[in-house]
Amino acid sequence: MIPRVLTVAGSDSGGGAGIQADLKTMLALGVHGMSVITAVTAQNSLGVQGAWELPVEAVRAQYRSVVDDIGVQAVKTGMLASAELVEAVAELIGATDAPAVIDPVGVSKHGDSLLASSALESVRTKLLPVATVATPNLDEVAQLTGVHVESEEQLRHAAAAVLEYGPRWVLIKGGHLPGDAVDLLTDGSAEHWLRAPRHDNRHTHGTGCTLASAIASGLAKGLAVPEAVTAAKEYVTGAIEAGFALGGGIGPVDHGWRFRDGA
């Protein structure tokens, strides 16, 4: 049977991030993607023009509909706009026997807020404790822990601060630092440093969603966390290199780059 992965996230009408990026990634990596939509956004290459979260009961009903009938081998979360949604989704994931990749989405690529400040404590105390892997970028690390990273050496400090909230593993994404794109994956004892060349391409919309979905896809296939993250890093690096212009602003990464490369 094809491995099944469930994304719990917001819809990006421009197709570069959110649910749309998640499902494209899952297809590209050979798993069956399913979705729980938490919010609808009016979004394009220039930014987010509007966002409307769905009621908690609609989110819960979508989740139960998929999990109770089809089942899942991994769950991935993205945009969870409010404390109520964060807590409901954390409860659902906690009762699901499958690895969970938590992408604590705080702001969009364009700087638009996608998480209410009142929801931060719920992310810390409810959502992160049910994570198999948490994947914050440096802005999200600062938002959640108050730790500001300005050098590669500080990634360890950031990881330790996030691990205090209970995820089994944390992947600190150092893409905002200068030089190579360096990420740190750790469970507090083992460390895995993942490096990739930085590509001179501004079209990187959807990078975080894509990476988290790729990790979830690997976990659904039965890979251990380090192997799943390493494979996901390779996939997203290629997608960033192949990112393309769309509209008048920041275009998306190319989820289908391997198909176009003939790989």
Side-chain angles (χ1 to χ4, degrees):
M1 183 177 288
I2 297 174
R4 290 145 287 161
V5 183
L6 178 62
T7 170
V8 184
S11 167
D12 172 3
S13 55
I19 289 283
Q20 288 80 356
D22 297 340
L23 294 176
K24 292 173 186 178
T25 299
M26 293 168 193
L27 178 63
L29 296 178
V31 302
H32 176 65
M34 304 169 291
S35 63
V36 171
I37 297 176
T38 61
V40 175
T41 69
Q43 190 172 166
N44 55 27
S45 70
L46 300 173
V48 179
Q49 291 78 46
W52 301 266
E53 68 180 80
L54 267 68
V56 168
E57 56 267 30
V59 171
R60 187 178 286 114
Q62 292 175 80
Y63 191 100
R64 290 262 60 93
S65 179
V66 171
V67 173
D68 293 348
D69 173 50
I70 301 171
V72 296
Q73 275 73 57
V75 180
K76 175 261 175 188
T77 70
M79 178 184 177
L80 303 173
S82 66
E84 293 77 15
L85 278 177
V86 169
E87 292 175 14
V89 170
E91 181 182 354
L92 289 164
I93 290 175
T96 303
D97 185 20
V101 180
I102 304 301
D103 186 15
V105 175
V107 296
S108 75
K109 182 69 68 179
H110 304 87
D112 301 294
S113 178
L114 300 176
L115 179 72
S117 57
S118 59
L120 285 172
E121 189 61 19
S122 296
V123 173
R124 297 182 189 106
T125 61
K126 303 292 185 182
L127 193 60
L128 289 178
V130 301
T132 306
V133 188
T135 63
N137 62 30
L138 298 186
D139 289 338
E140 290 154 356
V141 167
Q143 195 177 34
L144 290 166
T145 71
V147 173
H148 294 270
V149 175
E150 297 179 353
S151 68
E152 184 177 320
E153 293 71 27
Q154 294 174 314
L155 292 176
R156 281 195 182 97
H157 181 39
V162 177
L163 283 171
E164 286 186 7
Y165 292 113
R168 285 176 49 202
W169 291 83
V170 62
L171 177 67
I172 303 295
K173 299 179 294 191
H176 293 171
L177 295 175
D180 286 348
V182 180
D183 305 329
L184 171 60
L185 172 70
T186 180
D187 62 356
S189 54
E191 281 188 357
H192 303 269
W193 293 86
L194 301 126
R195 300 177 183 274
R198 183 176 300 277
H199 296 294
D200 185 19
N201 188 353
R202 65 189 289 262
H203 302 301
T204 56
H205 184 50
T207 304
C209 306
T210 299
L211 179 63
S213 293
I215 295 169
S217 298
L219 295 176
K221 293 176 180 178
L223 297 180
V225 169
E227 287 70 33
V229 172
T230 299
K233 172 84 168 180
E234 179 184 350
Y235 169 74
V236 80
T237 299
I240 291 170
E241 183 179 15
F244 55 91
L246 199 69
I250 300 172
V253 301
D254 184 359
H255 300 95
W257 68 271
R258 283 179 171 161
F259 306 129
R260 280 180 262 284
D261 277 0

